[in-house]
Amino acid sequence: MIKTGTILAVLAIAIGLGPMAKPEAPRIEMVPVIINGRPLNVAPYEVSVAQWQLCVDAGACDDIMKPVARPELTPATGLNWFDADEFVQWYNATHTTAVRLPTVAEWSGLGGPMPRKKSKLLFDDPRLAWAATYGQMKSPGGPVRVQGAWSKSSSGIHDLDGNVWEWTASCIEGADPANCPAAHVVGAHDTILSVFVREPASGGCSSGAPPTHVGLRLVED
């Protein structure tokens, strides 16, 4: 028995429409907020495992997620900066509105946790500023929780105080953004992380896997 979808596809080709276009991936919900007097749309949750899998299925992202019981509610983690960038590029290629990673200043204006006590610097050489507190933060405790398990800000943004770090668009000060060696991550622990290249042959000192609790949240101008 011929399926209806097959018949429609054949008819579309026959009348000159070509192969039927694949449906657009579901849009990520956004919440309007005002940060420093400027409007910004912000995803109320971090990108989920299920949303990441859509990018994988499209061939635009690496299949690196471990199976979870609730992929539609579990934040996608274990991502390096390039993974986050690939997701953003894929999403923007399939939607009419463009998303991006937030800057540190924007994230700080979302109503996140109070500033943390500063760690003693390991180096005072400004060339090593990005690594001056590296490794001093405690590892996020416990497994990654489902969306909404942490607190909710007054503007409707969830889990800013959760145990998932979120990549930002802010490179370390003084570095070339086009060749950024380390970027700010924000969340339960705010710090600067190497961008982490998985291929040791090309990654140099930045090669290796990122911490398991690093994910991403998207914003939209």
Side-chain angles (χ1 to χ4, degrees):
M1 182 175 182
I2 300 177
K3 294 182 178 179
T4 302
T6 302
I7 295 176
L8 291 176
V10 171
L11 289 175
I13 295 173
I15 63 177
L17 297 178
M20 297 186 69
K22 293 182 179 180
E24 183 181 82
R27 292 191 76 253
I28 292 178
E29 177 189 359
M30 292 284 172
V31 173
V33 299
I34 301 294
I35 299 178
N36 299 324
R38 189 176 71 85
L40 185 69
N41 292 330
V42 181
Y45 303 103
E46 290 126 353
V47 169
S48 71
V49 171
Q51 289 167 333
W52 180 266
Q53 189 60 45
L54 292 175
C55 184
V56 173
D57 293 343
C61 293
D62 291 337
D63 189 5
I64 55 177
M65 293 293 126
K66 295 181 179 180
V68 295
R70 305 175 71 183
E72 73 284 358
L73 295 178
T74 303
T77 54
L79 306 177
N80 63 28
W81 189 92
F82 301 101
D83 296 326
D85 185 59
E86 287 176 352
F87 186 90
V88 168
Q89 291 189 44
W90 164 76
Y91 187 88
N92 288 343
T94 58
H95 294 80
T96 55
T97 55
V99 299
R100 59 177 175 83
L101 297 177
T103 65
V104 168
E106 289 169 338
W107 195 94
S108 298
L110 292 178
M114 295 296 292
R116 293 154 179 85
K117 182 180 179 180
K118 292 185 177 181
S119 302
K120 181 180 179 180
L121 299 181
L122 300 176
F123 313 101
D124 54 16
D125 187 331
R127 293 172 298 180
L128 297 173
W130 71 272
T133 60
Y134 189 81
Q136 294 193 56
M137 291 288 189
K138 294 182 179 179
S139 298
V144 173
R145 301 185 190 177
V146 296
Q147 295 174 344
W150 304 88
S151 64
K152 177 182 178 182
S153 73
S154 58
S155 56
I157 310 302
H158 294 259
D159 307 327
L160 293 169
D161 57 344
N163 63 350
V164 173
W165 293 344
E166 301 173 11
W167 284 109
T168 74
S170 298
C171 188
I172 56 173
E173 186 176 355
D176 178 7
N179 191 28
C180 182
H184 291 263
V185 293
V186 289
H189 301 294
D190 308 345
T191 188
I192 296 174
L193 286 182
S194 163
V195 295
F196 291 103
V197 179
R198 287 196 178 86
E199 296 77 17
S202 60
C205 63
S206 295
S207 63
T212 58
H213 283 59
V214 181
L216 73 153
R217 184 189 302 267
L218 300 177
V219 299
E220 180 183 82
D221 293 304

